Amino acid sequence: MEQDFARILIPRDRIQARVAEMAEAITKSYGDEAREIVIVAILSGSVIFLADLIRHLPFKMKLGLMTVSRYRGAATSGGETLLKSAVDLPLENRHVLLIDDILDSGGTLRAVCEDLRKQRPADLKLAVLLRKPSKAPKDIIPDFVGFDIEDVFVVGYGLDFNSQYRNWPDIGVLRPELYA
Ligand code: IMP
Ligand code: MG
């Protein structure tokens, strides 16, 4: 697997240190409200981040997982359908923390946030490991961001290309010929 990488963007020890910092910020932000927290994570990209992050959070929580599939109609005018699975937990009056791997164009997170808000949580916060500031829309401002990165396609630490490389502990860029 290592030979498939052109360069490492964020090495594993920097990721681990930053995830611990994020957990500290998240813990502080909830204070005494930490009793009613529901973590909602978007599969599959967030799984590694989720597993590392929540083990640093010292309060009780419920964990809901959701899947989002995107279907782009090739013949339609850029139309995109998002198929979202429901979270199998009550969210009304709960403090909901939504977790995702990366904020790119923001289409996924905008749709998921809209859905979750309909269930009237006490509040909804957003934590993403990565953000591409050059593409992220101005109306989606995560409460917690791990790293702002340049606009390159990255893999590793949960992020995939063709469903592969999620288990690579660093975040990096593949050799260009592999993306072809
Ligand atoms: P968005 O809706 O454009 O923000 O895209 C969100 C989803 O696209 C993320 O949750 C990722 O699964 C995927 N994605 C976006 N950028 C990358 C990348 O650089 N590497 C791997 N997956 C990505
Ligand atoms: Mg993906």
Side-chain angles (χ1 to χ4, degrees):
M1 187 164 52
E2 193 164 359
Q3 67 277 9
D4 289 1
F5 282 76
R7 67 188 167 109
I8 290 175
L9 207 67
I10 313 172
R12 60 195 76 185
D13 47 323
R14 267 188 71 209
I15 300 173
Q16 295 303 329
R18 185 68 188 131
V19 169
E21 281 175 7
M22 290 179 82
E24 209 179 312
I26 290 168
T27 304
K28 275 200 191 121
S29 87
Y30 282 113
D32 294 339
E33 293 161 342
R35 280 162 289 134
E36 296 284 347
I37 290 189
V38 180
I39 306 254
V40 174
I42 303 176
L43 297 174
S44 301
S46 72
V47 285
I48 312 284
F49 174 44
L50 172 74
D52 282 345
L53 181 76
I54 62 177
R55 284 178 291 173
H56 286 289
L57 299 177
F59 44 80
K60 281 205 268 187
M61 64 179 67
K62 291 183 178 173
L63 183 58
L65 303 174
M66 65 186 293
T67 56
V68 181
S69 320
R70 305 204 285 180
Y71 291 93
R72 272 204 186 89
T76 59
S77 53
E80 185 182 79
T81 312
L82 280 183
L83 287 185
K84 303 178 282 295
S85 71
V87 177
D88 206 12
L89 290 169
L91 302 182
E92 191 168 348
N93 289 324
R94 307 301 202 282
H95 298 280
V96 175
L97 175 62
L98 177 63
I99 295 193
D100 203 4
D101 52 356
I102 184 165
L103 172 59
D104 187 2
S105 74
T108 311
L109 283 169
R110 182 179 293 110
V112 171
C113 285
E114 259 169 39
D115 260 31
L116 296 179
R117 285 209 180 88
K118 283 184 196 145
Q119 298 174 63
R120 305 191 171 283
D123 63 70
L124 175 63
K125 291 183 187 178
L126 173 62
V128 295
L129 178 68
L130 305 175
R131 173 173 61 185
K132 295 179 182 171
S134 59
K135 288 172 80 185
K138 299 280 174 283
D139 63 315
I140 302 181
I141 302 163
D143 301 273
F144 310 97
V145 179
F147 302 93
D148 279 324
I149 62 167
E150 60 200 276
D151 184 17
V152 287
F153 194 88
V154 292
V155 299
Y157 198 72
L159 293 119
D160 73 299
F161 175 66
N162 269 345
S163 298
Q164 288 185 308
Y165 306 104
R166 293 194 198 277
N167 58 316
W168 184 249
D170 309 300
I171 291 170
V173 180
L174 294 176
R175 297 202 337 255
E177 63 268 29
L178 293 167
Y179 289 122

